[in-house]
Amino acid sequence: MTVNTAIEQLLEVEEARGESVYGENTICVGFARLGSEDQKVVAGSMKQLLTVDFGPPLHCLVIVGKTHPVEEEMLEFYGL
């Protein structure tokens, strides 16, 4: 499953259930091919990440929760 597909499905579930657990403004980090020469790491809102082409697998999506200041720096570094 791609990062984009995961986000689309998560947003569909949230819309159907309406529990306000996350939404298109929720910050996430998308990863592709970690450890390889062409790895990709991008941070942004779910809505922003939907526009990113992460390329071929393997993909991973992290939904960001409460963060430490060092994590905030990394989110900015990898942000759109």
Side-chain angles (χ1 to χ4, degrees):
M1 178 182 296
T2 67
V3 168
N4 309 76
T5 300
I7 291 171
E8 288 170 358
Q9 290 183 4
L10 286 166
L11 290 174
E12 285 176 20
V13 169
E14 176 57 39
E15 185 177 327
R17 293 188 178 181
E19 296 178 2
S20 300
V21 176
Y22 48 80
E24 60 182 25
N25 293 319
T26 300
I27 301 299
C28 295
V29 184
F31 301 91
R33 299 168 308 286
L34 283 177
S36 67
E37 290 184 12
D38 68 337
Q39 75 178 11
K40 189 163 197 165
V41 179
V42 182
S45 69
M46 285 184 164
K47 184 176 182 178
Q48 290 173 315
L49 292 184
L50 281 173
T51 67
V52 176
D53 180 4
F54 284 92
L58 295 170
H59 290 195
C60 178
L61 175 68
V62 174
I63 300 173
V64 177
K66 185 176 179 182
T67 56
H68 182 276
V70 173
E71 293 169 319
E72 289 290 333
E73 287 180 32
M74 289 296 99
L75 289 171
E76 288 179 27
F77 181 79
Y78 288 107
L80 289 174

